[in-house]
Amino acid sequence: MGATGGPLLELSGVRAAYDGITVLHGVDLEVGAGQVVALLGPNGAGKTTTLKAAAGVHPISGGRLLLGGRDVCGARAGELARAGVCLIPEGRGVFPNLSVRDNLWMMTFTGRTREEVEDAAYARFPVLGDRRAQAAGTLSGGEQQMLALARGLTTDPAVLLLDELSMGLAPLVVADLYERVADIAREGVAVLVVEQFAAAVLKIADRAAVLVRGRIPWQGHPDGSLHAELSSYYLGSAP
Amino acid sequence: MTSSPAPEPRAERFVRELAELKIPDPAVARAALWLRLGGVLMAVGLVLGAVAFPLAHGTDNSLAQGDALAVGLGGIAAAVVGAALFLRYSLTGFLRFWLARQSYDLELLGERLTTTPPTTSLPEGDPRNGVPRTDPAPR
């Protein structure tokens, strides 16, 4: 929970649309400080749109987006990012032709020096230190994801939004990355993870929510009942 | 050696920074847009209405006069609609201010009435009608 006792990130009845076609039909979700919440669901359910709405990147057409208890509907994404909302998009978003070092250099816009950014990144992900001169495009998928995480963390986020961290990665790498995410959450960061493949993220998630066709039909503690229902939501047999 | 103050937790700093964030209210921006549109329509309508008169008088061609009449009528319609919009949104702002002022005055009056001490039961020994009592003996 946040400093005010409430959640750091709260979506209340959020609706969002693309060109008049509504894709989110009233999403309710809460993430407290130090919590990891997994947002699961099949392709096209609206998971990425939910993340974009939470980051202020996609405008919401109804409902409320509250950060630290304050309604921030209408705030620019840049302002929210400066306050401490960090979105790591699907596909990592690193510059493939630049070296690891230069990718990290991009994050000095936050006011931190190049040395500070690099030291923080290499302390958290030592493998990046070994590859500092290597072009980011030649890193393995897991290392690229680490670089994306390291870049995001230099902004000192209070709310971290992760989109499909496991995409294209081997299960062992995914498990390692999610352990790092759990470490980040233990530092008091509110983490919302969007994931299509539930198994890895549910090991570290405090709560989970299932998003199907723009609605959340189930959310709660990830236990056996979720595993039983998840397949039916994915396969479309649940109401 | 003095100990440095403990760093503010990230969540608390986040809440504080968000509280300081100035977020434009979209409803206010929309009202301002309608107000501006009303003003523009009113001005354009009046100009069109005024221009239509010399246009109609400056020709013997009845078709051109008909066009000028249409321009004039359109101008008048635009001016009426613009005036309605302008009045509606400017009056809203004024009335909102007036209402806020009114409720503030009422609250102030209410506070004054509830905090004024009663004057009917003055304790013994207190001055009455501004004249102090000269006999201090209890009754």
Side-chain angles (χ1 to χ4, degrees), chain B residues 48-73:
Chain B
L48 283 178
V51 164
F53 185 77
L55 276 180
H57 269 258
T59 177
D60 292 333
N61 187 340
S62 58
L63 280 175
Q65 283 178 340
D67 289 347
L69 276 173
V71 167
L73 283 172

Side-chain angles (χ1 to χ4, degrees), chain B residues 67-125:
Chain B
D67 289 347
L69 276 173
V71 167
L73 283 172
I76 290 166
V80 168
V81 170
L85 277 175
F86 187 81
L87 271 178
R88 187 235 172 272
Y89 284 97
S90 58
L91 269 181
T92 304
F94 172 74
L95 288 176
R96 196 178 289 139
F97 171 76
W98 175 79
L99 193 68
R101 178 77 213 201
Q102 194 78 350
S103 55
Y104 173 76
D105 283 347
L106 277 172
E107 198 183 314
L108 213 65
L109 182 68
E111 268 176 26
R112 213 166 51 217
L113 285 173
T114 50
T115 52
T116 308
T119 53
T120 49
S121 58
L122 282 171
E124 289 287 327

Side-chain angles (χ1 to χ4, degrees), chain A residues 7-11 31 48-58 65-73 75-89 107 109-110 148-149 151-163 184 188-193, chain B residues 10-11 13-19 21 23:
Chain A
L8 277 193
L9 168 67
E10 184 180 354
L11 285 85
V31 192
T48 299
T49 308
T50 305
L51 273 199
K52 284 182 177 172
V57 174
H58 188 88
L65 167 65
L66 296 119
L67 288 169
R70 185 173 180 201
D71 192 337
V72 293
C73 294
R76 285 192 290 271
E79 290 172 331
L80 298 185
R82 264 190 294 278
V85 178
C86 175
L87 169 67
I88 296 182
M107 303 310 288
F109 76 89
T110 56
L149 267 174
R151 281 167 36 127
L153 292 173
T154 56
T155 60
D156 189 19
V159 176
L160 184 61
L161 308 166
L162 297 169
D163 196 1
I184 294 164
V189 178
V191 183
L192 177 61
V193 189
Chain B
R10 184 66 186 97
R13 186 153 54 91
F14 181 61
V15 172
R16 183 175 51 77
E17 284 174 2
L18 281 167
L21 199 66
I23 301 168

Side-chain angles (χ1 to χ4, degrees), chain A residues 101 104-105 108 112-123 132 154:
Chain A
R101 223 169 150 243
L104 292 170
W105 192 11
T108 50
R112 300 170 82 176
T113 64
R114 191 170 180 176
E115 285 71 33
E116 282 172 343
V117 169
E118 284 188 39
D119 289 347
Y122 302 151
R132 66 185 71 189
T154 56

